[in-house]
């Protein structure tokens, strides 16, 4: 009897809690959108998603609400939900916001970065470089943000970090597209190494280098995205 109870408790430890199902669904669908499996304008049908995940429509509806709040899908009356598409000018605006906010928070953080902080940043960067080399696009997005974030944490600007994380969610899928279309892995790796090296020296010029890093990435992305959208339109 005791063995049976222990076995039951062991199994329940790994059982997905009911209240976490919408979050698990949201995360799975988010990754499928970011990876490009679901493309801009693709419909997301609740019944089909529920059948695919073998669950009821209720957690799917909640997952859709979370994805809409993150800006990844939009719901339209009588048309259901579709994967959102950001106009090019809005993507450009997000990169301009990134440059403005990240340069400000980096300037505030630079004098407070400890050697331990920089060791942690370098560890993240090594994982990011590994993802670059393996062309592991799913890990690149998360690790890219973690590397940048690690350099900003000593500034203790909680609200700025929250805003930047929200921006990162919006542009993550487009950064993945850019890397795949432009093979920009080597340049990104080189620039991140330069940023870390300058931070280790507490070089104030790193702020302007960061600005250029972000603006160049935005420019390359918009160029690649424009070509892809034209190609997709022609194919249709």
């Amino acid at each position: 009897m005791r063995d049976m109870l222990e076995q039951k408790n062991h199994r329940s430890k790994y059982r997905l809690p009911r209240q976490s199902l919408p979050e698990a669904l949201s995360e799975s669908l988010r990754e499928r959108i970011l990876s490009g499996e679901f493309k801009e304008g693709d419909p997301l049908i609740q019944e089909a998603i529920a059948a695919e995940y073998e669950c009821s429509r209720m957690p799917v509806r909640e997952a859709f609400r979370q994805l809409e709040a993150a800006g990844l899908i939009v719901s339209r009356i009588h048309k259901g939900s579709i994967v959102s598409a950001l106009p090019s000018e809005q993507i450009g605006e997000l990169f301009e916001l990134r440059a403005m906010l990240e340069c400000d928070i980096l300037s505030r953080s630079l004098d407070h970065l400890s050697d331990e902080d920089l060791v942690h940043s370098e560890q993240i960067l090594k994982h990011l470089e590994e993802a670059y080399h393996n062309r592991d696009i799913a890990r690149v997005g998360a690790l890219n943000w973690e590397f940048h974030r690690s350099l900003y944490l000593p500034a203790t600007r909680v609200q700025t970090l929250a805003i930047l994380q929200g921006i990162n969610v919006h542009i993550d899928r487009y950064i993945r597209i850019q890397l795949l279309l432009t093979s920009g892995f080597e340049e990104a790796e080189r620039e991140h190494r330069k940023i870390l090296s300058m931070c280790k020296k507490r070089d104030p010029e790193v702020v302007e280098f960061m600005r250029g890093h972000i603006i160049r990435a935005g420019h390359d992305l918009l160029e690649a995205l424009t070509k892809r959208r034209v190609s997709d339109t022609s194919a249709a």
Side-chain angles (χ1 to χ4, degrees), residues 124-132 140 143-144 147 192:
I124 297 172
L125 184 54
K126 287 178 180 177
H127 290 302
L128 176 55
E129 289 170 346
E130 181 182 298
Y132 285 147
V140 164
L143 288 168
N144 180 74
F147 172 68
H192 282 141

Side-chain angles (χ1 to χ4, degrees), residues 2-235:
R2 180 179 177 182
D3 289 343
M4 291 178 63
L5 285 172
E6 287 179 352
Q7 186 176 6
K8 181 179 179 181
N9 289 336
H10 179 74
R11 287 200 306 268
S12 66
K13 182 171 66 173
Y14 298 105
R15 188 174 298 146
L16 188 67
R18 185 176 180 82
Q19 65 269 24
S20 74
L21 182 57
E23 286 79 7
L25 273 168
S26 176
E27 183 59 31
S28 176
L29 292 170
R30 176 182 182 274
E31 182 54 38
R32 293 173 72 181
I33 292 170
L34 294 180
S35 69
E37 180 181 345
F38 293 129
K39 297 179 174 59
E40 296 179 345
D42 281 356
L44 293 179
I45 301 169
Q46 287 187 17
E47 293 86 348
I49 296 294
E52 187 175 7
Y53 284 93
E54 299 181 345
C55 65
S56 70
R57 291 173 57 184
M58 187 176 297
V60 175
R61 282 196 296 269
E62 177 55 34
F64 278 16
R65 279 194 286 269
Q66 293 178 22
L67 293 169
E68 186 166 18
L72 293 176
I73 68 173
V74 291
S75 297
R76 296 179 177 174
I77 299 175
H78 307 308
K79 292 186 178 181
S81 299
I82 63 171
V83 177
S84 64
L86 284 178
S88 295
E89 58 271 18
Q90 289 187 25
I91 296 174
E93 180 184 357
L94 288 173
F95 273 87
E96 290 170 7
L97 282 170
R98 267 195 68 195
M100 180 176 65
L101 292 174
E102 291 196 37
C103 288
D104 176 72
I105 198 170
L106 180 58
S107 68
R108 295 173 185 273
S109 177
L110 194 59
D111 290 338
H112 303 286
L113 279 167
S114 68
D115 292 340
E116 290 77 12
D117 292 328
L118 292 166
V119 167
H120 178 59
S121 297
E122 185 155 24
Q123 289 172 342
I124 297 172
L125 184 54
K126 287 178 180 177
H127 290 302
L128 176 55
E129 289 170 346
E130 181 182 298
Y132 285 147
H133 299 160
N134 294 331
R135 300 300 189 259
D136 189 346
I137 298 297
R139 292 183 68 223
V140 164
L143 288 168
N144 180 74
W145 165 240
E146 281 304 309
F147 172 68
H148 280 252
R149 180 176 176 271
S150 71
L151 298 174
Y152 308 148
L153 281 171
T156 61
R157 305 283 285 186
V158 177
Q159 295 303 320
T160 303
L161 277 175
I163 293 169
L164 283 170
Q165 185 162 6
I167 293 174
N168 184 75
V169 169
H170 281 292
I171 64 175
D172 188 8
R173 59 176 155 157
Y174 296 109
I175 290 176
R176 297 186 192 199
I177 290 171
Q178 174 212 347
L179 288 171
L180 287 171
L181 294 181
T182 66
S183 299
F185 299 96
E186 290 78 10
E187 183 178 0
E189 183 176 343
R190 184 171 58 252
E191 292 194 355
H192 282 141
R193 273 285 154 193
K194 178 71 172 177
I195 289 167
L196 182 60
S197 175
M198 295 177 78
C199 284
K200 286 180 177 179
K201 299 173 184 175
R202 276 63 173 189
D203 185 348
E205 292 299 318
V206 70
V207 175
E208 284 308 308
F209 187 84
M210 179 69 81
R211 190 185 310 279
H213 170 70
I214 294 169
I215 294 300
R216 280 191 298 275
H219 179 270
D220 291 346
L221 166 59
L222 287 174
E223 190 175 82
L225 188 59
T226 299
K227 290 179 181 178
R228 173 166 178 156
R229 285 173 169 172
V230 169
S231 175
D232 288 348
T233 301
S234 300

